[in-house]
Amino acid sequence: MNGTEHRIASDNIQLHAVTDGDPGNPALVMVHGYPDNLRVWDRIVPDLAREFFIVRYDVRGAGLSDKPRRTRDYRLPCSAGTWRPSSTR
């Protein structure tokens, strides 16, 4: 499944994201672990996209997302900021 690719600003980095399915369906956000990337979900996305609007992204430092140089930029407070709704930024 190809999906639609996006670049999302999160603090000082750009995250790579892909969406699939109908945006009118309930959203399902899929987050991979290290050392994977968003492609780990490729085999199940076609089935899930029938009922959900799938949002999957490469976490910071993985896949096509930016790779911060400083170790502290990978700590939980930085990563947690990714989840903050854009309307509160």
Side-chain angles (χ1 to χ4, degrees):
M1 182 157 241
N2 293 342
T4 302
E5 299 202 30
H6 308 271
R7 297 294 290 174
I8 301 167
S10 176
D11 297 321
N12 295 325
I13 65 166
Q14 293 285 313
L15 300 175
H16 172 245
V18 175
T19 56
D20 297 273
D22 181 350
N25 287 344
L28 176 62
V29 178
M30 303 177 81
V31 183
H32 66 83
Y34 285 103
D36 289 321
N37 61 43
L38 64 77
R39 297 293 173 202
V40 72
W41 305 113
D42 281 355
R43 290 177 49 191
I44 63 170
V45 166
D47 289 332
L48 292 172
R50 290 187 201 124
E51 296 183 40
F52 297 96
F53 178 60
I54 306 296
V55 179
R56 51 197 170 124
Y57 72 97
D58 289 324
V59 299
R60 60 182 60 219
L64 298 177
S65 288
D66 289 350
K67 293 155 184 64
R69 292 181 184 199
R70 300 179 307 186
T71 303
R72 68 178 174 218
D73 290 334
Y74 291 88
R75 292 184 180 153
L76 188 56
C78 294
S79 296
T82 301
W83 293 100
R84 193 175 43 210
S86 60
S87 62
T88 63
R89 291 185 189 184

